[in-house]
Amino acid sequence: MHLVVFSTKPYDREFFTRANNNPAVTPTPHTITFHSFPLTQSTASLAHEADAVCAFVNDALPGSVLRALRGLPQEVRAILLRCAGYNNVDLATAKNLSLSVANVPAYSPEAVAEFAVALVQTLNRKTHRAYNRVREGNFELSGLMGQTLYGKTVGVVGTGRIGLAFARVMARGFGCKVVATDPFPAEERLKEAVGPDGGNYVELDELLRVSDVVSLHCPLTDDTKHIINGETLAKLKKGAVLVNTSRGGLVNTQSVIAALKSKHLGGLALDVYEGEGELFYQDHSAEIIQDDDLMRLMTFPNVLVSGHQGFFTEEALTEIAECTLRNFDELLNDKPCKNALVRQGQLARRDSLPVRI
Ligand code: NAI
């Protein structure tokens, strides 16, 4: 079978080629074509010999792109997302076009959770600033003071795989109290993660009121878009820090800029950004970046931005490639596929309910 993979980097090619040549994953290697450019309406025609296409987080797949894929002489039958989030795909149109869609729901929740923890501590202890200072021979400590995390309250918005992994490290590693919010509370799993004495579910307003650190781990949906906005930021404890490793659209950028300027928000770490589609995963260092909000964010000493790299570990890339190729085999060879979001003209149950552990 033939798979066309879009938006690839050298590391994607390396891990996909390795998985494709691993008989335990792919007994008969597939033909894989790698493109470095994204999947769009105009590049869809380059999938003309493909049985399936593989897309990444910032490939937008609205109805027009799906129809372009379905309109090719050899119709593409499946969309393989090599990521967990699927907010970038019009699943309803995929269903109507009988296109199958699958994702990789859990390649390494710990990878993202550990990165979120790294952001919390970098922001808190200002190691990003210390690193630069010391390299210039400046050993002054002024401006580098942080807070001891032990005993502080951490608010986890979304207690799925990544949220629970993050809660576990913060509670068991740092000795933080954990409060969480989720429309599908999982009391037992939260207790398992953070220990018998810690961790309780509260409403979002209460979480914002009591937390010193708020970390977002819910998916981007119509309900969660701009869940962090002017109104919710006003409810945040003064000086609390916000971390978003989930999806950029959860945060209203203008509102966080206002909250940073007023010093109500004590710090912000973003691994994901609303306008990231235009910028992330590319080198723009010799260009004039036109996104004024992002550029404004970069001017704050208490803001950290990274380029959607929470997932970026060897273990995660191995699992992404292997799981994508398993999904490919299962979807196209009529085998059961637990990661299917759309199959045979039906939305999988996972689409209407949040993905559970
Ligand atoms: P998951 O599906 O296991 O958990 C998501 C949780 O969010 C569920 O428990 C769900 O009930 C909850 N949720 C839904 N709506 C909510 C709301 N309004 N308020 C609070 N909670 C809500 O997903 P997982 O694997 O934990 O991933 C979380 C997100 O992380 C993904 O949706 C994806 O966008 C993002 N992600 C980011 C990566 C990165 O590299 N930065 C890599 C992988 C995922």
Side-chain angles (χ1 to χ4, degrees):
M1 293 190 297
H2 188 172
L3 177 65
V4 174
V5 189
F6 287 87
S7 296
T8 59
K9 298 285 181 187
Y11 47 81
D12 294 308
R13 292 167 215 156
E14 180 191 333
F15 281 84
F16 267 83
T17 304
R18 201 185 295 168
N20 197 34
N21 291 328
N22 178 352
V25 180
T26 321
T28 314
H30 303 294
T31 303
I32 304 185
T33 305
F34 296 104
H35 292 308
S36 56
F37 43 79
L39 173 58
T40 63
Q41 200 172 347
S42 50
T43 62
S45 60
L46 291 162
H48 60 95
E49 287 178 345
D51 296 290
V53 295
C54 177
F56 194 43
V57 278
N58 290 325
D59 289 308
L61 284 94
S64 54
V65 173
L66 301 180
R67 279 188 288 275
L69 291 170
R70 242 346 194 168
L72 295 172
Q74 175 178 322
E75 293 186 341
V76 168
R77 288 185 285 152
I79 311 285
L80 303 169
L81 298 172
R82 55 180 194 281
C83 53
Y86 46 87
N87 51 286
N88 53 336
V89 186
D90 180 346
L91 294 180
T93 301
K95 173 181 117 125
N96 293 338
L97 294 172
S98 291
L99 266 169
S100 296
V101 183
N103 67 343
V104 183
Y107 36 87
S108 178
E110 287 76 17
V112 185
E114 288 169 13
F115 191 73
V117 173
L119 291 179
V120 170
Q121 266 306 58
T122 306
L123 202 53
N124 174 33
R125 302 302 296 270
K126 303 168 178 61
T127 35
H128 55 307
R129 301 189 67 206
Y131 173 83
N132 286 328
R133 256 189 213 189
V134 167
R135 284 168 73 89
E136 299 237 321
N138 177 357
F139 301 95
E140 173 68 67
L141 294 184
S142 303
L144 300 185
M145 195 185 298
Q147 294 192 341
T148 303
L149 283 181
Y150 181 81
K152 295 287 185 309
T153 301
V154 172
V156 181
V157 180
T159 51
R161 301 174 185 87
I162 298 171
L164 285 179
F166 175 80
R168 182 171 58 242
V169 178
M170 296 312 291
R172 294 187 187 266
F174 289 95
C176 292
K177 293 178 210 138
V178 170
V179 290
T181 191
D182 195 306
F184 299 88
E187 305 275 357
E188 282 310 307
R189 284 203 297 257
L190 183 63
K191 286 228 176 315
E192 249 168 59
V194 306
D197 302 330
N200 57 306
Y201 281 97
V202 295
E203 293 297 320
L204 179 63
D205 284 4
E206 175 67 2
L207 179 147
L208 296 170
R209 192 181 68 77
V210 300
S211 300
D212 301 288
V213 174
V214 174
S215 194
L216 306 180
H217 300 289
C218 57
L220 177 61
T221 63
D222 289 344
D223 290 341
T224 60
K225 185 169 165 59
H226 289 178
I227 194 171
I228 299 298
N229 54 46
E231 212 176 298
T232 47
L233 282 163
K235 294 173 181 160
L236 190 71
K237 183 173 181 176
K238 186 169 165 49
V241 301
L242 175 68
V243 178
N244 186 10
T245 55
S246 194
R247 282 293 179 268
L250 297 176
V251 173
N252 182 322
T253 309
Q254 298 270 344
S255 304
V256 286
I257 290 173
L260 286 159
K261 284 171 77 176
S262 71
K263 301 190 187 163
H264 186 73
L265 180 60
L268 175 69
L270 299 179
D271 185 45
V272 287
Y273 171 65
E274 261 190 303
E276 71 175 57
E278 303 292 313
L279 294 166
F280 283 16
Y281 303 123
Q282 307 290 338
D283 180 2
H284 296 281
S285 56
E287 297 167 18
I288 307 296
I289 293 178
Q290 300 294 331
D291 187 327
D292 292 349
D293 286 345
L294 182 62
M295 291 298 104
R296 179 66 180 103
L297 281 176
M298 307 276 213
T299 65
F300 293 98
N302 54 348
V303 171
L304 274 181
V305 180
S306 52
H308 204 147
Q309 66 171 92
F311 71 98
F312 200 53
T313 65
E314 284 186 25
E315 292 77 2
L317 287 185
T318 302
E319 181 54 23
I320 287 170
E322 293 186 354
C323 181
T324 302
L325 293 184
R326 280 195 299 270
N327 290 344
F328 185 32
D329 171 50
E330 290 167 3
L331 287 182
L332 294 206
N333 290 319
D334 290 328
K335 299 178 187 170
C337 179
K338 66 179 183 350
N339 300 326
L341 299 162
V342 181
R343 192 160 198 195
Q344 290 158 346
Q346 297 294 324
L347 289 176
R349 187 175 152 75
R350 289 202 300 132
D351 176 52
S352 47
L353 290 175
V355 183
R356 311 301 306 174
I357 291 175

